[in-house]
């Protein structure tokens, strides 16, 4: 294994040899031999992952999450023992629910109190030890293990990466005791890299059954939100829907799964069309409808498809399924095309026109909103105004990625390019959006990356650490904060559950939903050498966004626009 002298070096070399380019770190006393490995790199000539220093664990894991979304490569993180792992739990929950493969490693408090290289030499080494450090994360990760000896480094890394990448993918966790990392290596032999696990392919009989349902349907509907995580599926779905007249709705999109300008795109509100469909296919989507609000018609055929179609890690999920197909979205769509083509003469030739007309409703609604907001010159800044303004300034065909944690609606932005819109993970752990956007920028340095967050989500992201990371690593991101001084979801939830209650009757916000006074958010960007501006007038919004984009694109500096919205 090159000329690694310590197990720490052997671990880092193994990561790099297996294609892991970056190591996101928040270091502590357990990193002693990791620090030494990088200090010795000029002398050793070892090929090690690029170190991405992060001042908080949520930043480290969420940046790794964003980097995976940016380039599709497995990322690696190293955390500081038990306390660092604890800080990372929320971000790991996001990665797990979004099925993002990340190799999470963490130092372990030294095993020995004395007498061994790497043994305890700080008072914290007693208090930081846990009976089961990995137990904090075991419900969230696919696999956890502790490295026992340097001789197993390669096998352990290969096992970790294999488990992370096998569908459905997700994070894994590896504990690294300090004494083991500090130990010398002894000629670990080279071994070929194991193959990347393939996607599950659908049962041919199930494909034929699904094709029969779709070919004979009056109103076939595909509901998705995550199939676009595989960018290759976007073109497959667009081709299938266009050729055979199948409507597609994106529900709570976290990816671009269907170009918004496709004639078979029926919008982003499944509740408007779900009850009218006679065949409903949920394509890799955890919550295709809210049972308390709307469900498919009783006589509709419901088909659930995905690598884990019933989402086994969810304790309860009882959405109806009349046909369940375990398969990757790409293989399923590829197999479904020929099966439908063989039934082309049985497809109603008029249904594509009917669905195109139906899809025109949301497009007309979007255009009306854009026209209305363009005509408005004063008044309060609403979230609708912010969406229209962002759609206006981004409508230039440039390589732009919007990472949304709150207010930026795909329905208004109407993204068409795979990977150009990324939404909040299913778990909804706050503080994801801004660090994920920085991670996307790291993976796609030529892209313009925009983080759209609320004031609560922004505070949760540890903004000082995020802006410092942008400056340290040269990753300028445009952050647009919707500042309304309260937790909108908290207040909205109370009103939904108790529509006639005291909170609804009160003219004041609940104290549980209040955030005021919020800080001067623009100062966070300015403190790290960036551009910051506060917008309070509607007429200032578009010019402020245009100027902030110019700062990011032309000056290569980070920018933040803090918008006082209602």
């Amino acid at each position: 294994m090159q000329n690694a002298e310590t197990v720490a070096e052997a671990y880092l070399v193994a990561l790099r040899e297996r294609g892991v380019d970056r190591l996101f770190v928040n270091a502590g006393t357990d990193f002693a031999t990791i620090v030494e490995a990088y200090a010795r790199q000029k002398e050793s000539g070892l090929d090690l992952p690029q170190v991405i220093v992060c001042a908080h664990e949520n930043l480290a894991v969420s940046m790794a999450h964003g980097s995976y979304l940016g380039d599709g490569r497995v990322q690696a993180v190293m955390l500081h023992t038990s306390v660092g792992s604890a800080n990372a739990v929320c971000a790991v929950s996001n990665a797990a629910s979004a099925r993002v493969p990340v190799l999470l490693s963490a130092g372990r408090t030294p095993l020995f109190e004395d007498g061994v290289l790497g043994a305890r030499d700080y008072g914290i080494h007693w208090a930081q030890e846990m009976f089961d450090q990995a137990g904090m994360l075991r419900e969230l990760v696919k696999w956890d293990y502790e490295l026992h000896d340097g001789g197993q480094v390669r096998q352990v890394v290969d096992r970790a990466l294999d488990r992370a990448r096998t569908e459905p993918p997700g994070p894994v966790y590896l504990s690294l005791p300090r004494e083991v990392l500090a130990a010398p290596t002894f000629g670990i032999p080279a071994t070929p890299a194991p193959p990347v696990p393939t996607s599950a392919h659908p049962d041919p009989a199930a494909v034929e059954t699904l094709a029969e349902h779709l070919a004979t349907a009056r109103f076939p509907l595909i509901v998705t939100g995550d199939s676009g995580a595989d960018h290759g599926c976007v073109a497959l779905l667009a081709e299938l829907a266009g050729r055979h007249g199948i409507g597609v709705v994106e529900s709570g999109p976290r990816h671009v799964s269907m170009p918004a300008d496709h004639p078979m795109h029926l919008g982003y509100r499944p509740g408007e069309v779900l009850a009218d469909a006679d065949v409903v296919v949920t394509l890799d989507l955890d919550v295709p409808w809210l049972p308390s609000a709307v469900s498919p018609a009783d006589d509709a055929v419901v088909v659930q498809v995905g690598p884990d179609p019933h989402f086994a890690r969810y304790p309860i999920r009882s959405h109806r399924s009349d046909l369940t197909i375990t398969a990757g979205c790409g293989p399923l769509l590829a197999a479904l095309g020929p099966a439908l083509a063989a039934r082309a003469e049985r497809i109603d030739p008029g249904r594509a026109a009917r669905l195109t007309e139906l899809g025109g409703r949301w497009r007309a609604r979007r255009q009306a909103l854009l026209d209305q907001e363009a005509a408005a010159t004063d008044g309060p800044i609403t979230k609708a105004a912010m969406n229209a303004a962002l759609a206006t300034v981004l409508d230039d065909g440039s390589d732009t990625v919007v990472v949304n944690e709150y207010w930026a609606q795909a329905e208004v932005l109407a993204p068409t390019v795979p990977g150009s819109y990324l939404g909040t993970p299913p778990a909804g752990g706050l503080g994801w959006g801004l660090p994920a956007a920085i991670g996307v920028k790291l993976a796609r340095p030529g892209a313009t990356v925009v983080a759209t967050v609320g004031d609560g989500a922004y505070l949760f992201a540890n903004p000082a650490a995020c802006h410092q990371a942008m400056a340290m690593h040269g990753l300028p991101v445009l952050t647009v904060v919707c500042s309304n001084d309260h937790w909108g979801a908290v207040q909205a939830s109370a009103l939904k559950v108790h529509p006639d209650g005291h909170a609804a009757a009160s003219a004041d916000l609940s104290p549980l939903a209040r955030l005021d006074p919020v800080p001067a958010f623009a100062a966070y960007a300015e403190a790290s050498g960036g551009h910051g501006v506060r917008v309070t007038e509607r007429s200032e919004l578009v010019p402020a966004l245009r100027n902030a984009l110019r700062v990011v694109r032309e000056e290569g500096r980070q920018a933040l626009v803090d918008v006082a919205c209602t």
Side-chain angles (χ1 to χ4, degrees):
M1 181 178 278
Q2 300 182 36
N3 60 334
E5 292 186 352
T6 63
V7 174
E9 288 184 338
Y11 173 66
L12 295 169
V13 168
L15 288 178
R16 188 67 190 87
E17 287 182 349
R18 294 318 191 221
V20 177
D21 300 327
R22 310 177 187 100
L23 180 65
F24 298 83
V25 302
N26 185 274
T29 57
D30 46 332
F31 280 66
T33 311
I34 299 289
V35 172
E36 182 67 12
Y38 279 98
R40 201 178 81 87
Q41 189 175 15
K42 286 185 179 179
E43 174 187 324
S44 68
L46 296 174
D47 187 13
L48 309 180
Q50 176 190 6
V51 169
I52 309 296
V53 175
C54 303
H56 193 277
E57 290 82 0
N58 181 73
L59 171 63
V61 178
S62 298
M63 272 189 73
H65 187 150
S67 290
Y68 169 75
L69 297 178
D71 64 15
R73 300 173 67 87
V74 178
Q75 309 294 317
V77 179
M78 186 164 176
L79 308 166
H80 171 43
T81 65
S82 56
V83 289
S85 298
N87 259 355
V89 169
C90 183
V92 176
S93 179
N94 282 332
S97 67
R99 298 183 300 195
V100 170
V102 179
L103 197 172
L104 303 158
S105 59
R108 187 202 183 283
T109 298
L111 302 164
F112 292 88
E113 294 181 298
D114 194 14
V116 177
L117 181 63
R120 301 181 184 189
D121 52 11
Y122 284 91
I124 58 173
H125 287 157
W126 280 262
Q128 285 183 348
E129 185 176 23
M130 299 180 70
F131 290 105
D132 183 11
Q133 177 175 302
M136 289 186 289
L137 297 146
R138 188 162 294 127
E139 189 169 341
L140 301 173
V141 299
K142 296 181 63 181
W143 172 92
D144 70 89
Y145 195 70
E146 183 172 298
L147 183 65
H148 301 300
D149 185 86
Q152 62 174 175
V153 165
R154 216 184 269 279
Q155 293 95 323
V156 168
V157 168
D158 285 344
R159 177 64 172 165
L161 294 177
D162 178 77
R163 295 298 299 125
R165 293 184 297 195
T166 299
E167 289 192 346
V172 296
Y173 185 80
L174 176 62
S175 302
L176 301 170
R178 194 167 76 158
E179 297 95 327
V180 176
L181 290 177
T185 58
F186 299 97
I188 301 173
T191 57
V196 176
T198 61
S199 295
H201 280 60
D203 175 67
V207 172
E208 294 297 322
T209 301
L210 176 55
E212 186 69 17
H213 286 311
L214 291 172
T216 56
R218 170 186 52 82
F219 181 175
L221 177 67
I222 293 176
V223 186
T224 187
D226 283 337
S227 61
D230 178 352
H231 293 183
C233 288
V234 179
L236 287 173
L237 181 57
E239 166 68 15
L240 189 81
R243 181 177 295 274
H244 302 292
I246 301 171
V248 177
V249 170
E250 294 187 78
S251 178
R254 294 179 279 268
H255 302 273
V256 178
S257 295
M258 178 86 156
D261 58 0
H262 193 288
M264 290 295 103
H265 198 305
L266 305 188
Y268 299 85
R269 304 182 188 183
E272 293 185 345
V273 295
L274 188 67
D276 295 327
D278 55 347
V279 175
V280 178
V281 180
T282 71
L283 190 60
D284 198 21
L285 183 60
D286 60 341
V287 186
W289 62 83
L290 294 176
S292 61
V294 65
S295 293
D298 291 342
D299 59 351
V301 175
V302 179
V303 183
Q304 296 201 33
V305 180
D308 177 19
H310 289 308
F311 292 81
R313 66 176 299 271
Y314 289 17
I316 187 70
R317 179 187 182 274
S318 54
H319 294 77
R320 175 162 67 95
S321 183
D322 303 309
L323 172 64
T324 302
I325 304 176
T326 301
C329 292
L332 183 280
L333 293 171
L336 194 54
L340 277 170
R343 295 168 171 81
E345 74 284 352
R346 301 176 60 191
I347 296 175
D348 178 1
R351 79 181 186 189
R354 294 195 302 270
L355 292 175
T356 299
E357 182 179 357
L358 186 61
R361 296 180 187 178
W362 81 267
R363 293 182 177 85
R365 182 169 59 222
R366 173 183 183 266
Q367 191 58 53
L369 183 147
L370 294 176
D371 293 342
Q372 175 183 326
E373 296 301 330
T377 57
D378 55 15
I381 304 176
T382 62
K383 286 189 280 293
M386 293 185 65
N387 275 277
L390 187 60
T392 298
V393 300
L394 295 184
D395 188 21
D396 59 3
S398 60
D399 183 12
T400 302
V401 182
V402 174
V403 181
N404 177 52
E405 188 179 14
Y406 179 46
W407 59 267
Q409 299 177 10
E411 184 172 15
V412 180
L413 300 181
T416 61
V417 179
S420 63
Y421 179 92
L422 301 168
T424 307
L430 286 183
W432 168 84
L434 182 53
I438 302 170
V440 172
K441 181 65 177 179
L442 177 64
R444 297 177 56 184
T448 299
V449 182
V450 182
T452 55
V453 298
D455 42 13
Y458 180 70
L459 288 170
F460 256 73
N462 301 286
C466 289
H467 290 287
Q468 187 267 349
M470 291 187 222
M472 172 182 280
H473 303 297
L475 301 170
V477 167
L478 168 57
T479 308
V480 186
V481 185
C482 176
S483 295
N484 55 13
D485 299 343
H486 72 278
W487 298 106
V490 173
Q491 188 73 8
S493 176
L495 301 184
K496 181 180 289 187
V497 175
H498 303 288
D500 301 316
H502 294 279
S506 174
D508 296 326
L509 282 171
S510 164
L512 279 70
R514 297 182 69 93
L515 281 174
D516 55 323
V518 295
F521 292 142
Y524 280 108
E526 292 171 347
S528 289
H531 165 77
V533 63
R534 168 79 167 170
V535 174
T536 58
E537 301 295 330
R538 183 189 287 254
S539 60
E540 300 171 346
L541 182 55
V542 168
L545 290 174
R546 290 195 194 280
N547 185 53
L549 284 169
R550 181 195 60 79
V551 168
V552 169
R553 289 170 174 164
E554 299 178 13
E555 298 182 17
R557 292 193 298 139
Q558 59 180 286
L560 182 145
V561 180
D562 177 15
V563 184
C565 66
T566 57

